Each structure stands twice: as structure tokens, then as C-alpha cells.
Amino acid sequence: MCWAYLSRLKPVLRTHVEQILVAGTTVVLDFPGNTRRQRAWFKDIYSPLGLPHELYYVAADDEVCLKQLKRRQKEQPERAQFDTEEVFRMVTSHFEAPADSEGFNVEIVERGFA
């Protein structure tokens, strides 16, 4: 997704998510939360409303992730051009694991390769 479009989409998405949450419906966001800054956006949605939340953190080392990536390349060849080890390394070089100081209710999911 082009970052210019993302900046235009976030305010609209935020309003929509807030309305759904206020109505009492659960919302699952599969949105990048790789950095403190990205996660702060999530917190800005639920925190002012005083709503409960959960942040799922999948704890998996690079070896497990790369094995899954190679499996995905075989199972979904249309993704193979983008799902590469180079892209994985670039993305993970910016990753920041969630910290207690961020104030999230974190559910840690330990992930091995199956």
C-alpha cells in the first residue's frame, strides 16, 4: 500500500472503528503494529473511549518466520515476488517488540514451525 494513501485512510478507518467499538462490537485490526509509533495509533482509538483491548504479539524467531515465508512462496506463488527474504529483513529491521510501558494488554503467542 502506498504510504500517501495510508495517511488518508487512517482518519476514515479510525472513525469507522470507533463507531463499531462504541456499538459494542469487537474489532480485529490486522494492521502494521511493528513499531511503537504504529501501535500508538491503535491506542489513540481505544484509550479515550475507555474500551478494553488485546494486542497479540507473535513471538517467533527469524528462522521460523523464514521457513513460513518459504512455505508461503510455494503455496501462494503470486506472493513470491513480494514475500522475499530481503523484504522480510527490511521490515524486521524496524521491528520493536511491545513494551510494558506502552500500556497494552499483550497476549504473547509463542510460534514454532509446524
Side-chain angles (χ1 to χ4, degrees):
M1 174 180 284
C2 178
W3 298 115
Y5 293 121
L6 183 60
S7 65
R8 291 175 25 194
L9 176 64
K10 274 187 163 182
V12 174
L13 184 60
R14 177 189 174 133
T15 301
H16 183 62
V17 168
E18 285 175 342
Q19 291 171 348
I20 294 170
L21 290 171
V22 168
T25 303
T26 300
V27 175
V28 176
L29 294 174
D30 183 11
F31 226 70
N34 297 337
T35 66
R36 288 178 179 257
R37 184 176 176 185
Q38 289 171 331
R39 290 188 295 271
W41 181 73
F42 298 136
K43 192 171 183 180
D44 285 343
I45 294 173
Y46 74 81
S47 188
L49 301 171
L51 298 171
H53 69 280
E54 293 177 356
L55 174 69
Y56 285 86
Y57 168 48
V58 179
D61 63 27
D62 286 1
E63 181 182 346
V64 168
C65 294
L66 288 169
K67 284 180 181 178
Q68 289 177 313
L69 185 143
K70 290 190 186 313
R71 181 191 309 171
R72 209 168 35 246
Q73 287 174 330
K74 290 177 186 173
E75 293 172 354
Q76 301 173 34
E78 67 278 5
R79 293 179 55 165
Q81 189 174 14
F82 177 75
D83 266 354
T84 66
E85 184 172 344
E86 290 171 327
V87 171
F88 170 80
R89 299 249 182 241
M90 189 274 301
V91 169
T92 57
S93 71
H94 299 284
F95 179 76
E96 300 169 308
D100 290 342
S101 62
E102 292 178 77
F104 286 98
N105 297 325
V106 179
E107 290 288 332
I108 299 175
V109 179
E110 297 289 335
R111 180 73 179 156
F113 186 74

